[in-house]
Amino acid sequence: MEWLSPENVVAVLTAVLGVLTSAGVLWYERRVPRRKRIGYRVQMDTPIGSGISHGRANLRVGLFDDTPGMADATLVLLRIENDGSQSIADDDYTRRGDLPGLTAEFTGRTVRGIAVTHSPGAGHLMDHFTPADAVGYDGSLIRLPRVPLNRNEHFKLLVLLTGCDVGGPISVSGGIRDGVVVRNTAARPDEKPPMFGRASRIITVALTVCVVVLAGIIVVRDGTPPPMGCARGTLTVTGSTAFRPVVEELRKKYEEECEGSAIVVDTRGSNAGVRALDAEGSKPGAAGSPALIALSDGPKPPGFRELHGRRVAVSLFALVVNDTVPVRDLSLDEIRRIHNGGIRNWREIEGGPDLEIRLVGRDADSGTREVFQRRVLGGSELAPSSRDCVTKDYPRAPVIRCELDGTDQVLAEVAELDGAIGYTEMRAGEVPAGTHQVSIDGTSPSVGTISTSSYPYRETEYAYTYGSLPANSLAAGFLDYLDNYGEEVMRANGHLPCATPEGMRLCGED
């Protein structure tokens, strides 16, 4: 099988992406030190005055309404937190002397009052807001002391401001050794965090896309598993025309899966195929088994001792008549009398019209004909009496009977000739327009009921090779493929695979 198939490439890329991601995360966690980080976030910015033009308060009562100078007042809740991976000590602040640790600026507004709160379980933070280190403000600025913060600790500033609408610029600045002060957009520890971080979401999406693409390729491509073994070279399959549709379909699939393999289908009838295989294998100087498989409707003649066969399937065959004959069922006795000249006109059959019977058969190399003679007639057909299937070449011949080379010719001739009857293997599609199948003693050919049916026109299909096949040969690989992956194709074309439980029993009986 070609390695560089689309599904293999996507599967490998998915695996590589997963491995590299896991290794990268592990390396990052252990080797890359995280910076100290103070984040801030504006959690509320709301108007409380009557003169605010944007975002005006709907209702004010009590002190909000009575206190002078509140016409353009706003309230801001500012959160300051350690959202890094390391604790921050007071000496991590780079500003020294009388300079504050951090500075919060409310551009365009004037600070009128401040209230400080701490996170749950972090009451010790208030020890750093002493009179000496108290929060101070001047105009639009708030000065914050150098407050040590463990991971995930925070404090909040509730700030009363005047002088501007809500939504004005708010920033926090300062210096942290080996760290940064940034506006925070991450989820807070007291808020519900997202299930995945940004990096995790990107990786998850990438892996999901890879898996979906891989699944799509598998669904769109043919579902047949690849052959268990492939061999290069050329193989010829000859013999039964009844099995040709199966071989043609599987040939295409096998060649797609096995690069460098070529299978030539040259079916000329079961007997002709068996003879050709024996002749090829017994040539002077021939070494080993030739790259040739002969398919046969039924077992080979006993004289071909070097041919080794394997049962492949139970094949079904059917009788077809021209639509000018409304008969839908024939008894076994009527079929035999029709083909030995005992019945020459359809009016002799119940429900039959006044039409001369014309027999359209196959040549002597046909396995379909041989099965018909052995399984249905119990003897040989009449000799051919017409070359054009219309007129008798011999006036004394009891009926018109012609022989054709293949199934397609038989079906076309039966569809063309009024009163004609012929035989064919079962096929995936319906019989051609102008013809219809007839049952035998009330039983129709069906793969689904063959194991419990008494339908007589059936035979075991054999695949013959000359001598023993090398295990790594193309012939051996194709026959294994036929057994392991051909069930659906064989059933669709009127064959019950011997590899199935019911087929194994029927193939063993023959």
Side-chain angles (χ1 to χ4, degrees), residues 331-402:
S331 68
L332 200 58
D333 179 67
E334 288 171 334
I335 295 170
R336 289 170 178 172
R337 291 170 62 200
I338 288 172
H339 285 82
N340 66 20
I343 297 178
R344 304 180 185 185
N345 192 294
W346 284 108
R347 68 170 177 264
E348 301 177 51
I349 304 294
E350 184 179 355
D354 185 9
L355 279 175
E356 183 182 5
I357 293 176
R358 290 184 171 91
L359 305 179
V360 182
R362 291 287 302 278
D363 57 28
D365 286 329
S366 169
T368 306
R369 168 183 170 174
E370 186 174 322
V371 175
F372 181 61
Q373 294 178 147
R374 184 172 64 253
R375 294 281 190 174
V376 180
L377 299 185
S380 299
E381 290 188 84
L382 294 172
S385 60
S386 175
R387 285 169 293 176
D388 62 6
C389 302
V390 176
T391 58
K392 292 181 182 180
D393 295 336
Y394 311 102
R396 294 184 179 180
V399 294
I400 293 176
R401 181 181 178 274
C402 61

Side-chain angles (χ1 to χ4, degrees), residues 404 407-417 432 435:
L404 301 175
T407 297
D408 291 332
Q409 296 178 36
V410 170
L411 291 173
E413 199 67 35
V414 172
E416 183 71 23
L417 295 176
T435 67

Side-chain angles (χ1 to χ4, degrees), residues 176-198:
I176 302 295
R177 179 169 49 86
D178 296 327
V180 291
V181 177
V182 294
R183 190 179 184 94
N184 197 354
T185 58
R188 305 280 66 78
D190 58 348
E191 297 173 345
K192 183 178 180 180
M195 184 174 294
F196 300 105
R198 182 182 179 187

Side-chain angles (χ1 to χ4, degrees), residues 48 66 155 332:
I48 59 173
D66 299 336
F155 60 90
L332 200 58

